[in-house]
Amino acid sequence: MTDRKPIPRDPANDYTPEAAAQRAEFLRERTGVGLHHLRQGSLDPALLPGNIENFIGVAQVPIGLAGPLRINGEHAQGDFYVPLATTEGTLVASYNRGMRVVTECGGVTTTVVKRSMQRAPVFEFPTARGARDFGEWLTAHFDEVRRVAEATTRVGRLVEIEQYPLGNLLYTRFNYTTGDAAGQNMTGKATHAACEWLRETHPDHPRFLLSGSIDTDKKHSAMNTIRTRGRRVVAELVVRSEVLERILRVDARTLFRARQISNAGALMAGTAYNGPHAANGLAALFIATGQDVANVAESHAGVTYAQLLDNGDYYWSVTLPSLIVASYGGGTGLPTQRECLELLGCYGTGRVDRLAEIVAAVVLAGDISLGSAVLAGDWVSSHERLGRNRP
Amino acid sequence: MTDRKPIPRDPANDYTPEAAAQRAEFLRERTGVGLHHLRQGSLDPALLPGNIENFIGVAQVPIGLAGPLRINGEHAQGDFYVPLATTEGTLVASYNRGMRVVTECGGVTTTVVKRSMQRAPVFEFPTARGARDFGEWLTAHFDEVRRVAEATTRVGRLVEIEQYPLGNLLYTRFNYTTGDAAGQNMTGKATHAACEWLRETHPDHPRFLLSGSIDTDKKHSAMNTIRTRGRRVVAELVVRSEVLERILRVDARTLFRARQISNAGALMAGTAYNGPHAANGLAALFIATGQDVANVAESHAGVTYAQLLDNGDYYWSVTLPSLIVASYGGGTGLPTQRECLELLGCYGTGRVDRLAEIVAAVVLAGDISLGSAVLAGDWVSSHERLGRNRP
Amino acid sequence: MTDRKPIPRDPANDYTPEAAAQRAEFLRERTGVGLHHLRQGSLDPALLPGNIENFIGVAQVPIGLAGPLRINGEHAQGDFYVPLATTEGTLVASYNRGMRVVTECGGVTTTVVKRSMQRAPVFEFPTARGARDFGEWLTAHFDEVRRVAEATTRVGRLVEIEQYPLGNLLYTRFNYTTGDAAGQNMTGKATHAACEWLRETHPDHPRFLLSGSIDTDKKHSAMNTIRTRGRRVVAELVVRSEVLERILRVDARTLFRARQISNAGALMAGTAYNGPHAANGLAALFIATGQDVANVAESHAGVTYAQLLDNGDYYWSVTLPSLIVASYGGGTGLPTQRECLELLGCYGTGRVDRLAEIVAAVVLAGDISLGSAVLAGDWVSSHERLGRNRP
Amino acid sequence: MTDRKPIPRDPANDYTPEAAAQRAEFLRERTGVGLHHLRQGSLDPALLPGNIENFIGVAQVPIGLAGPLRINGEHAQGDFYVPLATTEGTLVASYNRGMRVVTECGGVTTTVVKRSMQRAPVFEFPTARGARDFGEWLTAHFDEVRRVAEATTRVGRLVEIEQYPLGNLLYTRFNYTTGDAAGQNMTGKATHAACEWLRETHPDHPRFLLSGSIDTDKKHSAMNTIRTRGRRVVAELVVRSEVLERILRVDARTLFRARQISNAGALMAGTAYNGPHAANGLAALFIATGQDVANVAESHAGVTYAQLLDNGDYYWSVTLPSLIVASYGGGTGLPTQRECLELLGCYGTGRVDRLAEIVAAVVLAGDISLGSAVLAGDWVSSHERLGRNRP
């Protein structure tokens, strides 16, 4: 073996202040570093089974408030005040400015246009013909597969099985709706049951891997941009030229001219997103509201589509094809996270579409602000003024 | 205008408990939601100028400890205990298991192979010929441009200006080394100065945009995977077959066989990463150590490259071409964030390469764990056991 | 206007030797260049309406013969001799060598796993909600849309309408089977009829563009790799290690080792194909058999998937997800093109799957040859020996 | 072995009419198909060593004439008549119409902005550190490497070696200028010599593969779009609104509006080209002029960048970042191919930039025509009228 010193755990109950203190002491011995601030906060370890292992304390991430953000959604309607957890100076101020523009223009229209969470097993056969024929069998037996998958979950619904034959393999995507949960685990469990049933039932008894890497869980992909992962959400706004000029000091023609340059650059660079910075708002909201922050990888992808209208106003839309959010499960029930969801009216069941709409609206507001600031020439200087912790 | 209710601010000094309390009261009036846990914690608002605006409290994100992780880096050497801030059950346990494998195999070898942070201005000309000729002029005057850019920064160094002519535009990437800072703002400021100088000095006085969208800041791109953004870091390990089988219950041949399937799936899906889940470890480390969490968008990209060795062991490498980290600036100096950096010996100047190596090592450990668990068939069941907050 | 000198045409009948001669004379006057070889050949201009305008002569592209290529397809079975039209020295020799390997290993197994040609209209609405709702209406009225589309064509069948909402737009892909034709025009006409019907019938009377650029006609795309365009075809072979070593002077382990390096390079470079050179065989076959050669752009994409078997043999598969071929229509009926199709038993109706299988088998044979030659170190030297027209 | 019947060859001299006739007879015996038209034409087999093996005859591809095309290039200036070899009805007519628009607007401005042909060897080391250090050594010894590489070629010049470390590998791109040749073989030979020298000279004696798959030869890639392969060429034109409306029956605002939709679709679909159909013109020109037609795979990639000007005119540019053409070597010297090059004044040494400019101008003309036709609603109907060989 090695001389590795494993982290102490309390086999009886590891979710106690004592167990955390024991690990802090262990760390102090091994590294000489004492944990002070980490051990502040109001988080009861007893709440944490299912959220963390080897708990030692909490990261305190400052939250700033932006808003009001007016949203004309199907699930989110009204003026929202948005908690953003970040350590990046000017971020809250910039989103706040964008929200002012949005609100003065009458509010963002938001629409959830598709829901689809998936697990993507792959099945192996002697030849491509076996893979193709299994695919046909799978289509014919969809109802049975669905029953097996759905028997494992209270809320998940198997909607479709996409098929992508390649070599002697059949890659699939089992697409589900997952209620208020993000659903990665729910769909994993349901798909695993379906795969086991398929292996037993189909005459070929095909080997499978639960993930053939085309989900693509926790990473951006062309697949997800095209086919949707989580929710596909559109936020759109006609930005009035008067507001643009008054608040953002840029005119719509200049903005549209710059859009062409951004699009060409985005196409050349092969980027996941052709707008300014969806990831900033997403990360800040995800941390605040207890989302799985790793999903910024998938969720930040999208397409900005704009048109200059005949009256000089500016139609600005953002489509997020793989936005993954939850109002239930994961970190959503932890104390500060829950408070932030409650601020948005998004805690608990039946609220996830509302949250998805708010997230998309926030992204659009932030893009309007930064996208305009760059043109108005104050991009560097605002960082200078507000972001003074920067080297 | 509208009936929008702006968020209260204290024009004298907004970074006080009173200002935060005033906003909390405003929120209670507008939303009916009281902030209790958000206002716990030990974060003094007076520390926050430059990190947040409209401060209302802190997100408390639980931190679990994983390790020891043995690293044989050039900057990180020894056994590390890694704080991971997450709300996703099993994540810490899974990384911990991978770290055990890594450590028993003698430790991860980590290497920073390139450093390059950029700002990517675009210059406009009447025709492509003007763009091309300006590019030649730019090459000839690189030393002057560098002097102008570097005059704005104490640590930033302009290393190279890449040129990408397209239409009548010259897209560029100004590549810098940025010391211990991530450097997005430093490079923005330096490049802005260079652009202003170029506009004044060059006979064509070309118009420019500070960002032509090929940086690509806060988003994944083929450009960044190819050309590097932040640090390009490699973590590699020869996983001994005996350890694989003993701890991870999988043999190297099965692992390699599955690698082929993952690679084919990744190529078909057009994914940013062909390994299991870099984003998980990145997000957890970024939150804990005060990194800009939005950079998960860029940093999660990478290439897993493996070989089955003649003796049956398994060479496993992960290359992260656009890893953005800082040991100074941004959120690194906030209380809990600083403690986490100190645990890793990464707080302050001259430590950022060490941090980059640790991050890459953590990613490799996590991939080894999850990548093997999927094959060993316990992926779903471990979530069942540990992740019980999941619906 | 300008002083442009338009090309002479014979308004009565432009498809005559005289009209061609008149243009040749016009060219001689304008450029001083006489056409001698261009005007040889046996192509009767009277055959050419529908294939060319302003006919002046023929390009004579040399054809070399490769084979026999043993194929165990569902539509192509037996030993084939393959005409390849190219001017690149060593190409025929290299494919020939690969075919020898294939044949000695018992032949390629080929499978058409999907058929899908499309036209991709986009519909515009006031907001995303309109786009989404129209999509639901479209799904509900699929049978009517199909009837309208299919009324324009004898063989085309509308199989599916994919929907991709983005902003206030609904991008769609109307997927058809198209019999023995490639079907770009057939599907264009059918979809145009469907769109006109939709504009008239749906209460919103939506504006549309017949192509929203996601077909993606005559260009490679992630979309086509994922979703198929034309035919998705797999060619696969277990290459016996003895044959590899005897004919190609490479062992299977070395080949597999190099495959890992190619996969990693392909992922980093973001390439449309991770094998050696599908495009070479495709272009040569397409020219010879009267295919639309521009479709090399789409057809060359694909995924090579390989496994080293326990007995030391090598499973090698190529999946071409967007192979576009026709055995009828376009240039297939012209004299030399028809002869080449007849050599393959692929002229006329009911033969296009056979042709698709042959094309995929040729691609695999060529990849085996070049992919091994690079490793055997004779890549440069064989070009030296055979390719002496090279500078 | 097998019962394979190899193709007969004449070991004394295979490039004779008799050898071709012998193969034709062999084919007749094996397939029952007689070659009549294939054996017409004026191509003397004695010319063909270095271009083809196992010669059996010629493909006769009809050539249509389009033009005049006015070009204001640096190398191509004046009105050109362009031979297009295709079997796709309406293609010549459509390009011809686009050329009329171009010419009436004063001509296309064309600019070659970069020249770079490459071979991309990969070097293997025990760890990433070895790869990185070798890279530094390589940079320090560039002059020696260049001397070794250039010793193998009369015209090739090694300009730069790009480095892409990944795992324990160093992927490189050796970038050359290659005179009038496309240069794939020239650069292969030169790079092979350099690699052998490196293996002998460097203390680690690193193993290498001549291609690490990032060239990416004969396939599209993000790498080539970003970094250039062959020539990077821009064609640009201010299309006058009056001409647009008179000839193409579309107004500039509609065109610009549709461009936004195409860009968004292209971004979503992950396409190699966001214009209508570069591949059509490329394939037709490549066949006519003896280019390596497989290079349509790389050459069809590009970015369309447009702006609506204040006066209502329309700036339209196409950038082809990986256009591979030759005026010397390969098929350029064969009889009909040479005649077509002579028509364009592009045969022989010192003409390849001229050819590159003409190709880019043709692509732009074709895109203007088809891009407008789609909008004017006559896309389907023109195919109906002219393309009657279509099913």
Side-chain angles (χ1 to χ4, degrees):
Chain A
M1 295 303 125
T2 64
D3 54 345
R4 60 187 288 275
K5 299 281 182 287
I7 297 165
R9 292 178 60 83
D10 182 339
N13 179 6
D14 202 52
Y15 291 94
T16 62
E18 293 72 26
Q22 188 188 4
R23 282 186 281 270
E25 177 57 22
F26 170 81
L27 279 175
R28 203 188 53 70
E29 286 170 10
R30 307 285 308 166
T31 69
V33 177
L35 304 182
H36 172 67
H37 291 285
L38 215 66
R39 304 190 58 205
Q40 307 293 321
S42 57
L43 194 50
D44 180 356
L47 295 172
L48 293 176
N51 287 118
I52 197 90
E53 298 84 43
N54 294 349
F55 176 70
I56 56 169
V58 299
Q60 297 182 34
V61 185
I63 296 179
L65 191 67
L69 169 62
R70 188 159 297 171
I71 304 179
N72 308 311
E74 294 178 304
H75 307 276
Q77 288 170 344
D79 286 7
F80 294 82
Y81 294 89
V82 182
L84 297 168
T86 183
T87 60
E88 300 302 304
T90 78
L91 191 149
V92 173
S94 179
Y95 276 80
N96 198 46
R97 186 172 76 148
M99 292 177 189
R100 183 176 157 210
V101 170
V102 163
T103 302
E104 293 212 6
C105 291
V108 186
T109 299
T110 53
T111 311
V112 177
V113 293
K114 192 172 176 185
R115 294 165 188 85
S116 184
M117 177 51 67
Q118 50 278 130
R119 185 56 50 182
V122 59
F123 300 86
E124 191 181 43
F125 299 87
T127 68
R129 241 166 264 171
R132 181 197 59 191
D133 294 348
F134 174 75
E136 292 170 4
W137 190 95
L138 189 57
T139 300
H141 293 73
F142 176 73
D143 286 342
E144 290 162 79
V145 176
R146 181 169 55 192
R147 270 194 295 275
V148 173
E150 293 183 358
T152 66
T153 166
R154 197 171 36 80
V155 297
R157 293 292 169 264
L158 178 61
V159 175
E160 180 193 17
I161 303 174
E162 300 175 68
Q163 301 185 10
Y164 299 97
L166 188 159
N168 61 350
L169 306 166
L170 186 71
Y171 291 80
T172 64
R173 279 164 61 104
F174 282 58
N175 293 321
Y176 299 81
T177 58
T178 60
D180 291 288
Q184 294 102 323
N185 298 317
M186 179 197 304
T187 59
K189 190 176 161 189
T191 306
H192 190 265
C195 289
E196 291 285 1
W197 182 87
L198 285 164
R199 180 163 58 184
E200 286 163 23
T201 310
H202 187 271
D204 291 350
H205 307 297
R207 290 177 61 177
F208 70 89
L209 288 178
L210 189 53
S211 173
S213 297
I214 68 163
D215 321 47
T216 49
D217 191 32
K218 307 286 167 83
K219 41 235 175 207
H220 166 70
S221 67
M223 177 66 88
N224 286 346
T225 292
I226 289 171
R227 298 299 293 169
T228 302
R229 179 166 173 83
R231 275 167 173 74
R232 194 175 189 100
V233 191
V234 181
E236 51 190 340
L237 178 69
V238 173
V239 193
R240 293 209 320 274
S241 61
E242 175 272 326
V243 178
L244 269 178
E245 289 169 27
R246 177 164 47 84
I247 302 182
L248 297 174
R249 288 172 291 156
V250 68
D251 68 287
R253 291 181 65 87
T254 299
L255 206 55
F256 199 44
R257 186 170 180 77
R259 168 77 1 239
Q260 311 309 313
I261 295 173
S262 291
N263 282 348
L267 284 159
M268 176 167 58
T271 186
Y273 187 61
N274 67 328
H277 66 146
N280 273 332
L282 291 169
L285 262 169
F286 279 18
I287 296 171
T289 61
Q291 307 301 312
D292 186 343
V293 183
N295 290 136
V296 168
E298 292 131 301
S299 301
H300 87 285
V303 181
T304 299
Y305 165 71
Q307 291 282 6
L308 187 62
L309 305 184
D310 287 345
N311 68 356
D313 291 347
Y314 190 90
Y315 171 83
W316 191 324
S317 76
V318 166
T319 301
L320 299 177
S322 44
L323 176 62
I324 304 178
V325 289
S327 64
Y328 181 70
T332 58
L334 296 181
T336 63
Q337 289 80 352
R338 175 173 174 167
E339 286 179 0
C340 287
L341 284 170
E342 286 173 343
L343 278 180
L344 300 168
C346 291
Y347 181 71
T349 58
R351 305 296 174 92
V352 67
D353 282 326
R354 181 179 170 101
L355 180 58
E357 290 189 343
I358 292 170
V359 171
V362 168
V363 166
L364 180 57
D367 276 7
I368 289 173
S369 178
L370 181 57
S372 303
V374 174
L375 298 176
D378 69 357
W379 187 84
V380 172
S381 57
S382 77
H383 264 286
E384 282 299 280
R385 196 174 65 247
L386 289 170
R388 68 185 172 212
N389 276 3
R390 287 290 184 174
Chain B
M1 296 309 123
T2 63
D3 53 345
R4 59 185 288 276
K5 299 281 181 287
I7 296 165
R9 293 178 58 82
D10 181 338
N13 178 6
D14 203 51
Y15 292 94
T16 62
E18 292 72 26
Q22 189 189 3
R23 282 187 282 271
E25 177 58 21
F26 170 82
L27 279 175
R28 205 190 51 72
E29 285 170 12
R30 307 284 307 166
T31 69
V33 177
L35 304 181
H36 171 67
H37 292 284
L38 216 65
R39 304 193 56 208
Q40 306 294 321
S42 56
L43 194 51
D44 180 356
L47 296 172
L48 292 177
N51 288 117
I52 197 91
E53 298 84 41
N54 293 351
F55 176 71
I56 55 169
V58 300
Q60 298 182 34
V61 185
I63 296 179
L65 190 67
L69 169 61
R70 187 158 298 169
I71 305 180
N72 309 311
E74 294 177 304
H75 306 276
Q77 289 170 343
D79 285 9
F80 293 82
Y81 294 90
V82 182
L84 297 169
T86 183
T87 60
E88 300 303 305
T90 80
L91 190 149
V92 174
S94 178
Y95 275 80
N96 197 46
R97 186 172 76 149
M99 292 177 189
R100 183 177 157 208
V101 170
V102 163
T103 301
E104 294 212 7
C105 292
V108 186
T109 300
T110 52
T111 310
V112 176
V113 293
K114 192 172 176 185
R115 294 168 188 82
S116 184
M117 178 48 69
Q118 51 278 126
R119 187 55 51 185
V122 59
F123 300 86
E124 191 182 43
F125 299 86
T127 67
R129 241 166 263 171
R132 182 198 57 192
D133 294 348
F134 174 75
E136 292 170 5
W137 189 95
L138 188 59
T139 300
H141 293 74
F142 176 73
D143 285 342
E144 290 162 79
V145 176
R146 182 170 53 191
R147 270 194 296 275
V148 173
E150 293 183 357
T152 65
T153 165
R154 194 171 38 79
V155 297
R157 294 293 168 264
L158 178 60
V159 175
E160 179 193 18
I161 303 174
E162 299 175 66
Q163 301 185 9
Y164 299 97
L166 188 160
N168 61 351
L169 305 167
L170 186 70
Y171 290 80
T172 63
R173 279 163 62 104
F174 282 57
N175 293 323
Y176 298 81
T177 58
T178 61
D180 291 288
Q184 294 102 323
N185 298 317
M186 181 197 302
T187 58
K189 191 176 160 188
T191 306
H192 191 265
C195 289
E196 292 285 1
W197 182 87
L198 285 164
R199 181 163 58 185
E200 286 164 24
T201 310
H202 187 272
D204 290 350
H205 306 298
R207 289 177 61 178
F208 71 89
L209 288 177
L210 189 53
S211 173
S213 297
I214 68 163
D215 322 47
T216 50
D217 192 31
K218 306 287 167 83
K219 42 237 176 206
H220 166 70
S221 68
M223 177 68 87
N224 286 347
T225 291
I226 290 170
R227 299 299 294 170
T228 302
R229 179 167 172 83
R231 274 165 174 77
R232 192 176 191 99
V233 191
V234 180
E236 51 190 340
L237 178 70
V238 174
V239 193
R240 293 210 317 276
S241 61
E242 175 273 325
V243 177
L244 269 178
E245 290 170 26
R246 177 165 47 86
I247 304 182
L248 297 174
R249 286 172 292 155
V250 69
D251 67 288
R253 291 181 66 87
T254 300
L255 206 55
F256 199 45
R257 186 170 180 77
R259 168 73 6 235
Q260 311 309 313
I261 296 173
S262 291
N263 283 348
L267 283 159
M268 176 167 59
T271 185
Y273 187 62
N274 67 328
H277 66 145
N280 273 332
L282 291 168
L285 262 169
F286 280 19
I287 296 172
T289 61
Q291 307 301 311
D292 185 344
V293 183
N295 291 135
V296 168
E298 293 131 301
S299 301
H300 88 285
V303 181
T304 299
Y305 165 71
Q307 291 282 7
L308 186 63
L309 304 185
D310 287 346
N311 67 356
D313 291 347
Y314 191 90
Y315 171 83
W316 191 324
S317 76
V318 166
T319 302
L320 299 176
S322 43
L323 177 61
I324 304 177
V325 289
S327 65
Y328 182 69
T332 59
L334 296 181
T336 62
Q337 290 78 353
R338 175 174 174 167
E339 287 179 358
C340 287
L341 284 170
E342 287 173 342
L343 278 180
L344 300 169
C346 291
Y347 181 70
T349 57
R351 306 295 175 92
V352 66
D353 282 327
R354 181 181 172 97
L355 180 58
E357 290 189 341
I358 294 169
V359 171
V362 168
V363 166
L364 180 58
D367 276 8
I368 289 173
S369 178
L370 182 57
S372 303
V374 173
L375 298 177
D378 69 358
W379 187 84
V380 171
S381 57
S382 77
H383 264 286
E384 282 300 279
R385 196 174 66 248
L386 290 170
R388 68 184 173 212
N389 275 4
R390 288 291 185 174
Chain C
M1 296 305 129
T2 63
D3 53 346
R4 60 187 287 276
K5 299 281 181 286
I7 295 165
R9 292 179 59 81
D10 181 339
N13 178 6
D14 202 51
Y15 291 94
T16 62
E18 292 72 27
Q22 189 189 2
R23 282 187 281 271
E25 177 57 23
F26 170 81
L27 279 174
R28 204 188 54 70
E29 285 170 13
R30 306 286 306 166
T31 69
V33 177
L35 304 181
H36 171 66
H37 292 284
L38 216 66
R39 304 192 57 209
Q40 306 294 321
S42 57
L43 194 50
D44 179 357
L47 296 172
L48 293 177
N51 287 117
I52 197 92
E53 299 84 41
N54 293 351
F55 176 70
I56 55 168
V58 299
Q60 297 182 34
V61 185
I63 296 178
L65 190 68
L69 169 61
R70 189 160 296 170
I71 304 179
N72 309 312
E74 294 177 304
H75 306 277
Q77 289 169 343
D79 285 9
F80 293 83
Y81 293 89
V82 182
L84 298 169
T86 183
T87 59
E88 299 303 303
T90 79
L91 190 149
V92 173
S94 179
Y95 276 79
N96 198 46
R97 187 171 77 149
M99 292 177 189
R100 183 177 157 207
V101 170
V102 163
T103 301
E104 293 211 8
C105 291
V108 186
T109 300
T110 53
T111 310
V112 177
V113 294
K114 192 173 176 186
R115 295 167 188 83
S116 185
M117 176 50 67
Q118 50 277 129
R119 187 54 52 183
V122 58
F123 300 85
E124 192 182 42
F125 299 87
T127 68
R129 240 165 265 170
R132 181 198 58 191
D133 295 348
F134 174 74
E136 291 169 4
W137 190 94
L138 189 58
T139 299
H141 292 73
F142 176 72
D143 286 341
E144 290 162 79
V145 175
R146 181 170 53 191
R147 270 194 296 275
V148 173
E150 293 184 356
T152 66
T153 164
R154 196 169 37 81
V155 297
R157 293 292 167 266
L158 178 61
V159 175
E160 180 193 18
I161 302 174
E162 299 174 65
Q163 301 185 9
Y164 298 98
L166 187 159
N168 62 351
L169 305 166
L170 185 71
Y171 290 80
T172 63
R173 281 165 59 105
F174 281 57
N175 292 322
Y176 298 82
T177 56
T178 60
D180 291 287
Q184 294 102 324
N185 297 317
M186 181 197 303
T187 58
K189 190 175 161 188
T191 306
H192 191 265
C195 288
E196 292 285 1
W197 182 87
L198 286 164
R199 181 163 57 185
E200 285 164 24
T201 310
H202 187 271
D204 290 351
H205 307 298
R207 287 177 63 177
F208 70 90
L209 287 178
L210 188 53
S211 173
S213 297
I214 68 162
D215 322 49
T216 50
D217 191 32
K218 307 287 166 84
K219 41 235 175 208
H220 167 70
S221 68
M223 178 67 88
N224 286 347
T225 291
I226 290 170
R227 298 300 292 170
T228 303
R229 179 166 173 82
R231 273 166 174 75
R232 193 176 190 98
V233 191
V234 180
E236 52 191 339
L237 177 71
V238 174
V239 192
R240 294 211 316 275
S241 61
E242 175 271 326
V243 177
L244 269 178
E245 290 171 27
R246 177 164 48 84
I247 303 182
L248 298 174
R249 288 172 290 157
V250 68
D251 67 288
R253 290 181 66 88
T254 300
L255 205 56
F256 199 45
R257 188 170 178 77
R259 168 69 12 230
Q260 311 309 313
I261 296 173
S262 291
N263 282 349
L267 283 159
M268 176 168 59
T271 186
Y273 186 62
N274 67 328
H277 65 147
N280 272 331
L282 291 168
L285 262 169
F286 280 19
I287 297 172
T289 61
Q291 306 302 310
D292 185 343
V293 182
N295 290 135
V296 168
E298 293 131 301
S299 301
H300 87 285
V303 182
T304 298
Y305 166 70
Q307 291 282 7
L308 186 62
L309 304 185
D310 287 346
N311 67 356
D313 292 346
Y314 191 90
Y315 171 82
W316 191 323
S317 77
V318 167
T319 302
L320 299 177
S322 45
L323 176 62
I324 305 178
V325 288
S327 64
Y328 182 69
T332 57
L334 296 181
T336 63
Q337 289 79 352
R338 176 173 172 169
E339 286 178 358
C340 288
L341 284 170
E342 286 172 342
L343 279 180
L344 300 168
C346 291
Y347 181 71
T349 56
R351 306 295 175 91
V352 66
D353 283 326
R354 180 180 172 100
L355 180 58
E357 290 189 342
I358 293 170
V359 171
V362 168
V363 166
L364 180 57
D367 276 8
I368 288 174
S369 177
L370 182 58
S372 302
V374 174
L375 298 176
D378 69 358
W379 187 84
V380 171
S381 57
S382 76
H383 264 287
E384 281 300 280
R385 196 174 65 247
L386 291 170
R388 67 185 173 212
N389 276 4
R390 287 290 183 174
Chain D
M1 297 305 123
T2 63
D3 53 345
R4 60 186 288 276
K5 299 281 181 287
I7 296 165
R9 291 179 59 83
D10 182 339
N13 178 6
D14 203 51
Y15 291 94
T16 61
E18 291 72 27
Q22 190 189 4
R23 282 187 281 272
E25 177 57 22
F26 170 82
L27 280 174
R28 204 187 53 72
E29 284 169 14
R30 308 286 305 168
T31 69
V33 177
L35 305 181
H36 172 66
H37 291 285
L38 215 67
R39 304 193 56 208
Q40 307 293 321
S42 57
L43 194 51
D44 180 356
L47 295 172
L48 292 177
N51 286 118
I52 197 91
E53 298 84 41
N54 292 351
F55 175 71
I56 55 168
V58 299
Q60 297 182 34
V61 184
I63 296 178
L65 190 67
L69 170 62
R70 188 159 296 171
I71 304 179
N72 309 313
E74 294 177 304
H75 306 277
Q77 288 169 345
D79 286 8
F80 293 83
Y81 293 90
V82 182
L84 297 169
T86 183
T87 59
E88 299 304 303
T90 79
L91 190 149
V92 173
S94 179
Y95 276 80
N96 197 47
R97 187 171 78 148
M99 292 177 189
R100 184 177 158 207
V101 169
V102 163
T103 301
E104 293 211 8
C105 291
V108 185
T109 300
T110 53
T111 311
V112 177
V113 293
K114 192 172 176 186
R115 293 167 189 83
S116 184
M117 177 49 67
Q118 50 278 128
R119 186 55 51 183
V122 58
F123 299 86
E124 191 182 42
F125 299 87
T127 67
R129 242 166 262 170
R132 181 198 59 192
D133 295 347
F134 173 74
E136 292 169 4
W137 190 95
L138 189 58
T139 300
H141 293 73
F142 176 73
D143 286 341
E144 289 162 80
V145 176
R146 181 170 53 191
R147 269 194 296 276
V148 172
E150 293 184 357
T152 65
T153 164
R154 196 169 38 79
V155 296
R157 295 293 168 263
L158 178 61
V159 175
E160 181 193 17
I161 303 174
E162 299 175 66
Q163 301 185 10
Y164 299 97
L166 187 159
N168 62 351
L169 306 166
L170 185 70
Y171 290 80
T172 63
R173 279 164 60 105
F174 281 58
N175 293 322
Y176 298 82
T177 57
T178 59
D180 292 289
Q184 293 104 321
N185 298 317
M186 180 197 303
T187 58
K189 191 176 159 188
T191 306
H192 191 264
C195 288
E196 292 286 0
W197 182 87
L198 286 164
R199 181 163 58 183
E200 286 164 24
T201 308
H202 188 271
D204 290 350
H205 307 298
R207 287 176 63 177
F208 70 90
L209 287 178
L210 188 53
S211 172
S213 297
I214 69 163
D215 321 46
T216 49
D217 190 33
K218 306 288 168 81
K219 40 236 175 207
H220 167 70
S221 69
M223 177 67 87
N224 286 347
T225 292
I226 289 170
R227 299 299 293 169
T228 302
R229 179 167 173 83
R231 275 164 173 78
R232 193 175 189 97
V233 190
V234 180
E236 52 190 339
L237 177 71
V238 174
V239 193
R240 295 210 316 275
S241 62
E242 176 271 327
V243 177
L244 269 178
E245 290 170 26
R246 177 165 46 85
I247 303 182
L248 297 174
R249 286 172 292 156
V250 68
D251 67 288
R253 291 181 65 88
T254 299
L255 206 56
F256 200 44
R257 187 170 180 76
R259 166 80 357 240
Q260 311 309 313
I261 296 173
S262 291
N263 283 348
L267 284 158
M268 176 167 58
T271 186
Y273 186 63
N274 68 329
H277 66 145
N280 273 331
L282 291 169
L285 261 169
F286 280 18
I287 296 172
T289 61
Q291 308 300 312
D292 186 343
V293 182
N295 290 135
V296 168
E298 294 131 301
S299 301
H300 87 285
V303 182
T304 298
Y305 166 69
Q307 291 282 7
L308 186 62
L309 305 184
D310 287 346
N311 68 356
D313 292 347
Y314 191 90
Y315 171 83
W316 191 325
S317 76
V318 167
T319 301
L320 300 177
S322 45
L323 176 61
I324 304 178
V325 288
S327 65
Y328 182 70
T332 58
L334 295 181
T336 62
Q337 289 78 353
R338 176 174 173 168
E339 286 179 359
C340 287
L341 285 170
E342 286 173 343
L343 279 180
L344 300 168
C346 290
Y347 181 70
T349 58
R351 306 296 175 90
V352 65
D353 282 327
R354 180 180 172 99
L355 180 59
E357 290 189 342
I358 293 170
V359 171
V362 168
V363 166
L364 181 57
D367 276 7
I368 289 173
S369 178
L370 182 57
S372 303
V374 174
L375 299 176
D378 68 359
W379 186 84
V380 170
S381 58
S382 78
H383 265 286
E384 282 299 282
R385 197 174 65 248
L386 290 171
R388 69 185 171 209
N389 276 3
R390 289 290 184 172

